[in-house]
Amino acid sequence: MKSLLLSVRPVAALLLLFLSVLFFAVPEGVDPVVVFGCLSVFYFYFFECVRRPVVIWNGIATYFKIDAMFLLFYYVLFFLPYQKYVLGLSDLVFNKYIDELFLEYSNPSLILSAIGVVAFCEGFRAFSISRRCSVKKFPDDSKAYRSVVKWVALLCTLLVLVPFVIVGLPIMLVGSYSGSVAGDPLVDSLYFLVSHFVMLGIACVVFDYSRSRRIEALDLVLLAISFSWGLILLLMGDRNVFFSIAVVGAGGYFTYVKKIGRIRIILALFAALTLYQVVEVSRKAEDRSIDAIVEAFMESDEQGDGIEEGSFGITTATSRAAIYLVPDKFDYAFGYYKLIGLAGVIPFSRSFLVDDKAPFSTSAELLSYGVLGKDPNWSVGSNIVSDIYVDLGVPGVVVLMLLLGAWAGYVQARARESGGSLKWSSLYLVCLGLYMELPRYAFDFHVRNIVWLLALFYMVDIVMKGARRRFDHRGVA
């Protein structure tokens, strides 16, 4: 941790200190000077991120980078509404889902978001440019190893997909959208696992194709399951998981197979945002079908809702609500929410850590209470900045956002410098999808996927090493 802090550029360290002090000194309201200042901080780091591509594999320059995906969604949630406001395109005073928008806390919310940008990008820079990863031939470079992992991905996907379709899917397709969880621990676990193994399967297929330039029968099966699961996600209305999976596929293809320019990426992003809003409309319908999605698309021009007027605007409001609630109404949780969230890596362990005397067990519960009132009948969710802030305050935002950026940079460095490692390539692509959605979730959102993915590769490594030893022993004999 000490080396990470020392890797922050002196100018950035001074900026973090200045913003941290300003957070407590800035007056309430929406000050254009604060807005332009925080927007300038974001644009500096964003253009520093996208001004040059990264080469992960075989000389293919790509702009599908973890930091770029993270910053794009971060901007939409935390900065775009204020950019539209200072341009006279939005007044910030309306959201069709919630009444209280906490606009008086816009200034400190913007500053806290800017702190997050600086910390994340400095952490990413520190590790993405490091040369600590030695270039060597990895054992998971073989065709046999890649085939084994693909078979594991397929079998694990079917093992959780079949019971989910039988038990969970009817529950989640009945009526209008009520969230991406069913409330049943078993169904919710199956739902998570299906998405997890689908992302792994796509990553393996893309990487294997980049090596062999052949599509095998097993690849077609994995792709068919992935496509079907993506369609199910759209019908259920879960856009976030759908786009995480889609980014794994698209990002993988344009990282390991074929180059794509910035203009086409921008056009794809506009198309993605359109689909995002269309699904938001269609999931309210009682008829959960392809026809409902098509109808919502045909009516999207007539409705003309801006991003800040929909569910994205809820996240922007919760970034302000967190500052209203903590520490004046509720004290900082001092890591309690992180402890419960990170415990999700071990199945069914969270229940042992929940304190019945504590008013909330997650930042989403706290924010829902603050925005919707006592006993809310739905959840406003959380976001990466508010989740850290209500738990650990401004210092927590600095440190944990540094760590998030450092891990992302480390994964990119490993994927780039390991060359033919299926493990690090798969982890890179999965992180690509997870980090894009991370701004709208809690800090621990991506941890379970990463730990379980590493554990799966660790077990495959053990099995493959044992098989090789037995084969070598028989060969010698």
mmCIF file of all heavy atoms in Angstrom, residues 210-241:
data_model
loop_
_atom_site.group_PDB
_atom_site.id
_atom_site.type_symbol
_atom_site.label_atom_id
_atom_site.label_comp_id
_atom_site.label_asym_id
_atom_site.label_seq_id
_atom_site.Cartn_x
_atom_site.Cartn_y
_atom_site.Cartn_z
ATOM 1 N N SER A 210 -8.576 -16.475 -31.192
ATOM 2 C CA SER A 210 -7.451 -15.605 -31.544
ATOM 3 C C SER A 210 -6.172 -16.407 -31.764
ATOM 4 O O SER A 210 -5.274 -15.971 -32.482
ATOM 5 C CB SER A 210 -7.222 -14.565 -30.439
ATOM 6 O OG SER A 210 -6.659 -15.146 -29.277
ATOM 7 N N ARG A 211 -6.089 -17.592 -31.157
ATOM 8 C CA ARG A 211 -4.906 -18.437 -31.323
ATOM 9 C C ARG A 211 -5.030 -19.377 -32.508
ATOM 10 O O ARG A 211 -4.099 -19.549 -33.290
ATOM 11 C CB ARG A 211 -4.658 -19.265 -30.048
ATOM 12 C CG ARG A 211 -4.504 -18.443 -28.778
ATOM 13 C CD ARG A 211 -3.335 -17.479 -28.864
ATOM 14 N NE ARG A 211 -2.082 -18.170 -29.116
ATOM 15 C CZ ARG A 211 -1.307 -18.703 -28.199
ATOM 16 N NH1 ARG A 211 -1.655 -18.613 -26.930
ATOM 17 N NH2 ARG A 211 -0.185 -19.304 -28.520
ATOM 18 N N SER A 212 -6.186 -20.021 -32.647
ATOM 19 C CA SER A 212 -6.338 -21.069 -33.671
ATOM 20 C C SER A 212 -7.030 -20.595 -34.939
ATOM 21 O O SER A 212 -6.900 -21.234 -35.988
ATOM 22 C CB SER A 212 -7.135 -22.237 -33.085
ATOM 23 O OG SER A 212 -8.462 -21.829 -32.764
ATOM 24 N N ARG A 213 -7.798 -19.475 -34.821
ATOM 25 C CA ARG A 213 -8.607 -18.962 -35.942
ATOM 26 C C ARG A 213 -9.582 -20.017 -36.452
ATOM 27 O O ARG A 213 -9.917 -20.066 -37.636
ATOM 28 C CB ARG A 213 -7.705 -18.489 -37.095
ATOM 29 C CG ARG A 213 -6.817 -17.311 -36.726
ATOM 30 C CD ARG A 213 -7.637 -16.051 -36.530
ATOM 31 N NE ARG A 213 -6.842 -14.970 -35.976
ATOM 32 C CZ ARG A 213 -7.239 -13.695 -35.938
ATOM 33 N NH1 ARG A 213 -8.422 -13.371 -36.417
ATOM 34 N NH2 ARG A 213 -6.473 -12.777 -35.401
ATOM 35 N N ARG A 214 -10.080 -20.816 -35.528
ATOM 36 C CA ARG A 214 -11.067 -21.843 -35.866
ATOM 37 C C ARG A 214 -12.193 -21.812 -34.836
ATOM 38 O O ARG A 214 -11.966 -21.595 -33.652
ATOM 39 C CB ARG A 214 -10.429 -23.239 -35.862
ATOM 40 C CG ARG A 214 -9.410 -23.470 -36.961
ATOM 41 C CD ARG A 214 -8.808 -24.866 -36.806
ATOM 42 N NE ARG A 214 -9.830 -25.894 -36.819
ATOM 43 C CZ ARG A 214 -9.620 -27.176 -36.482
ATOM 44 N NH1 ARG A 214 -8.407 -27.553 -36.101
ATOM 45 N NH2 ARG A 214 -10.594 -28.048 -36.520
ATOM 46 N N ILE A 215 -13.424 -22.022 -35.346
ATOM 47 C CA ILE A 215 -14.587 -22.150 -34.467
ATOM 48 C C ILE A 215 -14.970 -23.622 -34.418
ATOM 49 O O ILE A 215 -15.318 -24.226 -35.440
ATOM 50 C CB ILE A 215 -15.778 -21.317 -34.973
ATOM 51 C CG1 ILE A 215 -15.465 -19.826 -34.851
ATOM 52 C CG2 ILE A 215 -17.035 -21.654 -34.189
ATOM 53 C CD1 ILE A 215 -15.407 -19.311 -33.437
ATOM 54 N N GLU A 216 -14.907 -24.202 -33.225
ATOM 55 C CA GLU A 216 -15.228 -25.609 -33.056
ATOM 56 C C GLU A 216 -16.668 -25.773 -32.587
ATOM 57 O O GLU A 216 -17.338 -24.802 -32.220
ATOM 58 C CB GLU A 216 -14.262 -26.242 -32.049
ATOM 59 C CG GLU A 216 -12.804 -26.124 -32.464
ATOM 60 C CD GLU A 216 -11.859 -26.632 -31.383
ATOM 61 O OE1 GLU A 216 -12.331 -26.818 -30.233
ATOM 62 O OE2 GLU A 216 -10.666 -26.830 -31.681
ATOM 63 N N ALA A 217 -17.128 -27.021 -32.581
ATOM 64 C CA ALA A 217 -18.501 -27.308 -32.145
ATOM 65 C C ALA A 217 -18.728 -26.844 -30.711
ATOM 66 O O ALA A 217 -19.786 -26.295 -30.373
ATOM 67 C CB ALA A 217 -18.780 -28.803 -32.284
ATOM 68 N N LEU A 218 -17.736 -27.061 -29.856
ATOM 69 C CA LEU A 218 -17.850 -26.626 -28.459
ATOM 70 C C LEU A 218 -18.000 -25.110 -28.368
ATOM 71 O O LEU A 218 -18.772 -24.595 -27.546
ATOM 72 C CB LEU A 218 -16.614 -27.086 -27.677
ATOM 73 C CG LEU A 218 -16.520 -26.674 -26.207
ATOM 74 C CD1 LEU A 218 -17.735 -27.162 -25.428
ATOM 75 C CD2 LEU A 218 -15.235 -27.198 -25.589
ATOM 76 N N ASP A 219 -17.294 -24.380 -29.222
ATOM 77 C CA ASP A 219 -17.407 -22.920 -29.243
ATOM 78 C C ASP A 219 -18.819 -22.492 -29.631
ATOM 79 O O ASP A 219 -19.385 -21.558 -29.042
ATOM 80 C CB ASP A 219 -16.407 -22.321 -30.235
ATOM 81 C CG ASP A 219 -14.977 -22.666 -29.885
ATOM 82 O OD1 ASP A 219 -14.702 -22.849 -28.688
ATOM 83 O OD2 ASP A 219 -14.145 -22.755 -30.812
ATOM 84 N N LEU A 220 -19.394 -23.162 -30.621
ATOM 85 C CA LEU A 220 -20.749 -22.825 -31.066
ATOM 86 C C LEU A 220 -21.767 -23.052 -29.959
ATOM 87 O O LEU A 220 -22.712 -22.273 -29.800
ATOM 88 C CB LEU A 220 -21.111 -23.645 -32.310
ATOM 89 C CG LEU A 220 -20.313 -23.333 -33.581
ATOM 90 C CD1 LEU A 220 -20.699 -24.306 -34.694
ATOM 91 C CD2 LEU A 220 -20.560 -21.898 -34.023
ATOM 92 N N VAL A 221 -21.583 -24.123 -29.213
ATOM 93 C CA VAL A 221 -22.502 -24.404 -28.106
ATOM 94 C C VAL A 221 -22.399 -23.309 -27.045
ATOM 95 O O VAL A 221 -23.420 -22.802 -26.555
ATOM 96 C CB VAL A 221 -22.204 -25.782 -27.489
ATOM 97 C CG1 VAL A 221 -23.056 -26.002 -26.233
ATOM 98 C CG2 VAL A 221 -22.464 -26.896 -28.499
ATOM 99 N N LEU A 222 -21.176 -22.946 -26.692
ATOM 100 C CA LEU A 222 -20.987 -21.892 -25.701
ATOM 101 C C LEU A 222 -21.561 -20.557 -26.177
ATOM 102 O O LEU A 222 -22.195 -19.826 -25.404
ATOM 103 C CB LEU A 222 -19.495 -21.735 -25.388
ATOM 104 C CG LEU A 222 -18.859 -22.821 -24.511
ATOM 105 C CD1 LEU A 222 -17.344 -22.690 -24.523
ATOM 106 C CD2 LEU A 222 -19.389 -22.742 -23.085
ATOM 107 N N LEU A 223 -21.354 -20.234 -27.434
ATOM 108 C CA LEU A 223 -21.882 -18.979 -27.974
ATOM 109 C C LEU A 223 -23.404 -18.999 -28.035
ATOM 110 O O LEU A 223 -24.063 -17.982 -27.774
ATOM 111 C CB LEU A 223 -21.295 -18.723 -29.364
ATOM 112 C CG LEU A 223 -19.803 -18.399 -29.406
ATOM 113 C CD1 LEU A 223 -19.325 -18.280 -30.853
ATOM 114 C CD2 LEU A 223 -19.480 -17.123 -28.633
ATOM 115 N N ALA A 224 -23.988 -20.150 -28.379
ATOM 116 C CA ALA A 224 -25.450 -20.264 -28.427
ATOM 117 C C ALA A 224 -26.056 -20.076 -27.041
ATOM 118 O O ALA A 224 -27.072 -19.386 -26.877
ATOM 119 C CB ALA A 224 -25.842 -21.627 -29.004
ATOM 120 N N ILE A 225 -25.427 -20.664 -26.035
ATOM 121 C CA ILE A 225 -25.907 -20.494 -24.664
ATOM 122 C C ILE A 225 -25.772 -19.045 -24.227
ATOM 123 O O ILE A 225 -26.679 -18.472 -23.603
ATOM 124 C CB ILE A 225 -25.130 -21.422 -23.706
ATOM 125 C CG1 ILE A 225 -25.477 -22.888 -23.994
ATOM 126 C CG2 ILE A 225 -25.442 -21.091 -22.255
ATOM 127 C CD1 ILE A 225 -24.665 -23.874 -23.187
ATOM 128 N N SER A 226 -24.662 -18.427 -24.581
ATOM 129 C CA SER A 226 -24.434 -17.029 -24.214
ATOM 130 C C SER A 226 -25.459 -16.113 -24.864
ATOM 131 O O SER A 226 -26.001 -15.198 -24.219
ATOM 132 C CB SER A 226 -23.018 -16.605 -24.625
ATOM 133 O OG SER A 226 -22.049 -17.422 -24.007
ATOM 134 N N PHE A 227 -25.733 -16.355 -26.147
ATOM 135 C CA PHE A 227 -26.733 -15.541 -26.850
ATOM 136 C C PHE A 227 -28.109 -15.729 -26.220
ATOM 137 O O PHE A 227 -28.852 -14.756 -26.007
ATOM 138 C CB PHE A 227 -26.771 -15.928 -28.331
ATOM 139 C CG PHE A 227 -27.783 -15.168 -29.132
ATOM 140 C CD1 PHE A 227 -27.505 -13.898 -29.616
ATOM 141 C CD2 PHE A 227 -29.040 -15.714 -29.392
ATOM 142 C CE1 PHE A 227 -28.445 -13.183 -30.345
ATOM 143 C CE2 PHE A 227 -29.985 -15.013 -30.126
ATOM 144 C CZ PHE A 227 -29.688 -13.741 -30.606
ATOM 145 N N SER A 228 -28.458 -16.964 -25.905
ATOM 146 C CA SER A 228 -29.763 -17.247 -25.301
ATOM 147 C C SER A 228 -29.877 -16.587 -23.925
ATOM 148 O O SER A 228 -30.921 -16.023 -23.577
ATOM 149 C CB SER A 228 -29.966 -18.763 -25.165
ATOM 150 O OG SER A 228 -29.907 -19.390 -26.432
ATOM 151 N N TRP A 229 -28.795 -16.654 -23.147
ATOM 152 C CA TRP A 229 -28.815 -16.032 -21.833
ATOM 153 C C TRP A 229 -28.919 -14.508 -21.954
ATOM 154 O O TRP A 229 -29.626 -13.869 -21.169
ATOM 155 C CB TRP A 229 -27.567 -16.411 -21.051
ATOM 156 C CG TRP A 229 -27.522 -15.841 -19.666
ATOM 157 C CD1 TRP A 229 -26.634 -14.942 -19.166
ATOM 158 C CD2 TRP A 229 -28.434 -16.125 -18.591
ATOM 159 N NE1 TRP A 229 -26.910 -14.652 -17.853
ATOM 160 C CE2 TRP A 229 -28.016 -15.358 -17.469
ATOM 161 C CE3 TRP A 229 -29.555 -16.943 -18.483
ATOM 162 C CZ2 TRP A 229 -28.685 -15.398 -16.252
ATOM 163 C CZ3 TRP A 229 -30.230 -16.983 -17.258
ATOM 164 C CH2 TRP A 229 -29.791 -16.214 -16.168
ATOM 165 N N GLY A 230 -28.247 -13.922 -22.936
ATOM 166 C CA GLY A 230 -28.370 -12.489 -23.157
ATOM 167 C C GLY A 230 -29.797 -12.092 -23.487
ATOM 168 O O GLY A 230 -30.298 -11.064 -23.005
ATOM 169 N N LEU A 231 -30.473 -12.908 -24.287
ATOM 170 C CA LEU A 231 -31.874 -12.639 -24.631
ATOM 171 C C LEU A 231 -32.761 -12.740 -23.392
ATOM 172 O O LEU A 231 -33.655 -11.911 -23.180
ATOM 173 C CB LEU A 231 -32.335 -13.632 -25.695
ATOM 174 C CG LEU A 231 -33.740 -13.432 -26.266
ATOM 175 C CD1 LEU A 231 -33.859 -12.060 -26.911
ATOM 176 C CD2 LEU A 231 -34.069 -14.535 -27.271
ATOM 177 N N ILE A 232 -32.488 -13.735 -22.558
ATOM 178 C CA ILE A 232 -33.247 -13.883 -21.308
ATOM 179 C C ILE A 232 -33.054 -12.664 -20.420
ATOM 180 O O ILE A 232 -34.005 -12.156 -19.804
ATOM 181 C CB ILE A 232 -32.823 -15.177 -20.576
ATOM 182 C CG1 ILE A 232 -33.323 -16.405 -21.346
ATOM 183 C CG2 ILE A 232 -33.358 -15.195 -19.146
ATOM 184 C CD1 ILE A 232 -32.816 -17.719 -20.796
ATOM 185 N N LEU A 233 -31.816 -12.178 -20.344
ATOM 186 C CA LEU A 233 -31.536 -10.994 -19.520
ATOM 187 C C LEU A 233 -32.322 -9.776 -20.009
ATOM 188 O O LEU A 233 -32.851 -9.002 -19.207
ATOM 189 C CB LEU A 233 -30.040 -10.689 -19.541
ATOM 190 C CG LEU A 233 -29.131 -11.676 -18.805
ATOM 191 C CD1 LEU A 233 -27.664 -11.347 -19.088
ATOM 192 C CD2 LEU A 233 -29.390 -11.647 -17.306
ATOM 193 N N LEU A 234 -32.403 -9.601 -21.330
ATOM 194 C CA LEU A 234 -33.165 -8.478 -21.876
ATOM 195 C C LEU A 234 -34.652 -8.635 -21.564
ATOM 196 O O LEU A 234 -35.334 -7.656 -21.244
ATOM 197 C CB LEU A 234 -32.943 -8.376 -23.381
ATOM 198 C CG LEU A 234 -31.559 -7.901 -23.828
ATOM 199 C CD1 LEU A 234 -31.476 -7.880 -25.349
ATOM 200 C CD2 LEU A 234 -31.240 -6.521 -23.261
ATOM 201 N N LEU A 235 -35.158 -9.848 -21.657
ATOM 202 C CA LEU A 235 -36.571 -10.079 -21.349
ATOM 203 C C LEU A 235 -36.861 -9.819 -19.872
ATOM 204 O O LEU A 235 -37.920 -9.298 -19.515
ATOM 205 C CB LEU A 235 -36.967 -11.512 -21.713
ATOM 206 C CG LEU A 235 -36.962 -11.859 -23.209
ATOM 207 C CD1 LEU A 235 -37.304 -13.326 -23.426
ATOM 208 C CD2 LEU A 235 -37.948 -10.975 -23.968
ATOM 209 N N MET A 236 -35.911 -10.186 -19.009
ATOM 210 C CA MET A 236 -36.083 -9.929 -17.577
ATOM 211 C C MET A 236 -35.897 -8.453 -17.253
ATOM 212 O O MET A 236 -36.346 -7.983 -16.211
ATOM 213 C CB MET A 236 -35.094 -10.773 -16.769
ATOM 214 C CG MET A 236 -35.402 -12.254 -16.773
ATOM 215 S SD MET A 236 -34.434 -13.178 -15.550
ATOM 216 C CE MET A 236 -32.775 -12.787 -16.071
ATOM 217 N N GLY A 237 -35.200 -7.733 -18.130
ATOM 218 C CA GLY A 237 -34.965 -6.314 -17.896
ATOM 219 C C GLY A 237 -33.655 -5.993 -17.212
ATOM 220 O O GLY A 237 -33.426 -4.853 -16.824
ATOM 221 N N ASP A 238 -32.772 -6.997 -17.070
ATOM 222 C CA ASP A 238 -31.494 -6.759 -16.399
ATOM 223 C C ASP A 238 -30.467 -6.294 -17.427
ATOM 224 O O ASP A 238 -29.685 -7.071 -17.968
ATOM 225 C CB ASP A 238 -31.012 -8.025 -15.697
ATOM 226 C CG ASP A 238 -29.861 -7.752 -14.742
ATOM 227 O OD1 ASP A 238 -29.253 -6.664 -14.846
ATOM 228 O OD2 ASP A 238 -29.572 -8.603 -13.894
ATOM 229 N N ARG A 239 -30.445 -4.981 -17.658
ATOM 230 C CA ARG A 239 -29.542 -4.412 -18.657
ATOM 231 C C ARG A 239 -28.094 -4.453 -18.211
ATOM 232 O O ARG A 239 -27.185 -4.601 -19.029
ATOM 233 C CB ARG A 239 -29.926 -2.956 -18.926
ATOM 234 C CG ARG A 239 -31.392 -2.756 -19.259
ATOM 235 C CD ARG A 239 -31.821 -1.337 -18.998
ATOM 236 N NE ARG A 239 -31.684 -0.982 -17.594
ATOM 237 C CZ ARG A 239 -31.854 0.246 -17.131
ATOM 238 N NH1 ARG A 239 -32.156 1.230 -17.957
ATOM 239 N NH2 ARG A 239 -31.720 0.502 -15.840
ATOM 240 N N ASN A 240 -27.871 -4.318 -16.910
ATOM 241 C CA ASN A 240 -26.500 -4.196 -16.421
ATOM 242 C C ASN A 240 -25.699 -5.468 -16.647
ATOM 243 O O ASN A 240 -24.570 -5.435 -17.150
ATOM 244 C CB ASN A 240 -26.504 -3.825 -14.938
ATOM 245 C CG ASN A 240 -27.128 -2.471 -14.687
ATOM 246 O OD1 ASN A 240 -26.896 -1.530 -15.443
ATOM 247 N ND2 ASN A 240 -27.939 -2.362 -13.660
ATOM 248 N N VAL A 241 -26.262 -6.601 -16.272
ATOM 249 C CA VAL A 241 -25.563 -7.878 -16.492
ATOM 250 C C VAL A 241 -25.443 -8.147 -17.985
ATOM 251 O O VAL A 241 -24.413 -8.644 -18.456
ATOM 252 C CB VAL A 241 -26.295 -9.026 -15.780
ATOM 253 C CG1 VAL A 241 -25.620 -10.364 -16.093
ATOM 254 C CG2 VAL A 241 -26.309 -8.800 -14.273
#
